Amino acid sequence: SMCPEGWRAPTLAELTSLAANKSSFNNGYYFSGSQPYSESVPRVWFPASGRVLWGEDADDEKYYYKGERGYYWSSESTGAYGARSLMFNSEYVTIENLNAFEYGCAIRCVKDAE
């Protein structure tokens, strides 16, 4: 598993719902989910950590978009090698299909309900 015991990868629905409300972009976003964003509501920080590229397309600089884009895996598979992923930049938040053999992305683990 990609997460420690008692934690799990977020579902696509959880990531999509969480990203519904966000702060202004500053090398990442604070997301506040179902509540309109403000500093007084529960929120979580997702940095624009970029992604790692490996394989034939990678050059000497394997880290891409650091500080510009965030890529976060969900638990929803797109087949044998990929997953649905939350992607954002300074202009928008979207869902993409990414291949795990080509891209190294962050994962934001979710604590299991007790």
Side-chain angles (χ1 to χ4, degrees):
S1 173
M2 297 179 281
C3 297
E5 187 175 336
W7 295 74
R8 60 176 173 76
T11 65
L12 180 62
E14 287 170 332
L15 280 179
T16 302
S17 175
L18 179 69
N21 289 290
K22 64 186 183 328
S23 65
S24 58
F25 184 83
N26 185 8
N27 296 320
Y29 287 110
Y30 279 105
F31 292 111
S32 57
S34 61
Q35 300 182 61
Y37 174 78
S38 80
E39 291 185 11
S40 63
V41 300
R43 57 201 170 115
V44 61
W45 173 250
F46 278 58
S49 55
R51 69 181 186 213
V52 176
L53 179 66
W54 48 70
E56 293 178 9
D57 294 333
D59 57 23
D60 291 339
E61 180 59 51
K62 291 181 173 55
Y63 298 95
Y64 293 88
Y65 306 116
K66 187 175 179 183
E68 298 173 27
R69 296 184 188 177
Y71 296 87
Y72 290 85
W73 295 119
S74 81
S75 62
E76 185 174 315
S77 172
T78 58
Y81 307 120
R84 305 276 288 158
S85 303
L86 176 77
M87 192 289 283
F88 62 78
N89 62 24
S90 62
E91 298 175 16
Y92 60 87
V93 176
T94 189
I95 300 298
E96 292 189 342
N97 294 336
L98 293 176
N99 184 322
F101 283 123
E102 294 177 13
Y103 301 108
C105 302
I107 185 165
R108 197 58 175 272
C109 298
V110 176
K111 188 164 179 48
D112 285 335
E114 297 191 11

